Amino acid sequence: MDRHLKEGDFLIGMKFPVDFLTNVSQAELEVSAHVYMNNLLYVNTDCPEQIILSDSTKVSVDISRVGYVPLYGSGDKKSILALFSPADPLAAVALYLLGKWWTVDNILKTSDLARDGIIEVTTIGERIVLYVLNRVIYRVREMNSEEDLPFLCHGGKDYAKICWCNGGAVGFYSVKPSGSLYNCFSTKRYQLPVMDSIFVRKCHRGDGFGLQMLKNFVLSFQHDSVGLRYPLTKAMYKMCEKYLCQYPEYTDLLWEVEGVGGLNQRFNIAKRSQTMDLRAFSCAAPHP
């Protein structure tokens, strides 16, 4: 990539990280990043490399703004190299992937026309897209600190799907499948599939992507009952209400779940939504 390429630019035939990071290992990314960091120590600081963001902000690449971030949470040793904003030292604006800096917005793009719809996360490139959607787009840019709760980092083997549309990632959801461990400190296992996070970018809300992901979740597991992690927002209740309006025969399908979802830890969403005034809430807001 040209060192001054803006994040909104698109080149014909250009591949984005999710397109070429299909058969690449985490170790290869880390080796490339370590080599770059070693070389950065000897770069002429009078003429630094610059990344140009979509608002025309230029971010110089120097050792004081570059650092490693854990891809799968603080307890995991796997990491990627990030460039941070001068205005916010906790906000990553670009990631270093196999010899190039990629702005976070370009990381969410694809040139693969077949990458469309709701697709399961399997490759390291898709894991990085999931990381950016969760930890950068939602947590740094779009989370309302007064209303929303942060998601935990998704683990390297967590079941998750990304929603793609018109060459970009617009949202994701993740699931704890039935039978999976509640956490690494417990021997308890989930009693039913539980959607533990769902997110649609603000610029794509109101277009039905949240409802599409809910339908995909139900169809992917085909259980008599599926759960959504407690506490549900009113926006999530409204989305469930829309689903139940389309499929009124499934009033016993959706449950709000605490813990592993035992019989005394689940609450019927159809019944609860009848007691709420949901008219003022938009669908597909973040759900912890």
Side-chain angles (χ1 to χ4, degrees), residues 89-252:
L90 298 179
V93 295
L95 300 179
Y96 188 81
L97 305 169
L98 288 188
K100 296 180 181 179
W101 283 107
W102 293 86
T103 61
V104 294
D105 285 322
N106 273 337
I107 289 171
L108 300 182
K109 295 179 182 178
T110 180
S111 58
D112 184 357
L113 297 179
R115 195 182 301 279
D116 188 63
I118 302 169
I119 300 174
E120 185 175 351
V121 172
T122 58
T123 69
I124 186 67
E126 291 165 338
R127 291 282 167 195
I128 291 171
V129 171
L130 184 64
Y131 171 88
V132 169
L133 283 170
N134 181 358
R135 308 300 286 185
V136 180
I137 301 301
Y138 172 54
R139 186 156 189 167
V140 177
R141 297 185 184 181
E142 298 190 3
M143 188 176 76
N144 185 328
S145 60
E146 296 181 358
E147 300 175 5
D148 301 329
L149 296 175
F151 304 137
L152 296 175
C153 276
H154 296 96
K157 296 182 180 180
D158 281 3
Y159 182 99
K161 290 188 176 183
I162 294 171
C163 183
W164 296 90
C165 183
N166 294 328
V170 302
F172 69 83
Y173 77 87
S174 61
V175 176
K176 300 299 184 186
S178 176
S180 60
L181 286 171
Y182 182 61
N183 59 45
C184 60
F185 305 107
S186 172
T187 58
K188 295 181 179 180
R189 296 181 180 272
Y190 284 92
Q191 301 299 300
L192 71 170
V194 176
M195 178 188 281
D196 67 342
S197 66
I198 182 172
F199 169 67
V200 176
R201 300 181 67 181
K202 284 185 177 180
C203 57
H204 294 285
R205 293 182 191 169
D207 296 329
F209 292 115
L211 186 58
Q212 287 179 33
M213 287 191 281
L214 178 59
K215 290 179 179 179
N216 184 272
F217 166 54
V218 171
L219 291 174
S220 295
F221 288 90
Q222 305 237 333
H223 282 58
D224 293 335
S225 300
V226 295
L228 288 81
R229 184 178 297 282
Y230 171 90
L232 266 66
T233 62
K234 288 189 176 180
M236 277 300 300
Y237 265 109
K238 185 168 185 177
M239 190 171 73
C240 291
E241 185 182 60
K242 285 188 175 183
Y243 177 87
L244 293 169
C245 284
Q246 292 184 17
Y247 306 99
E249 67 274 23
Y250 293 151
T251 54
D252 291 326

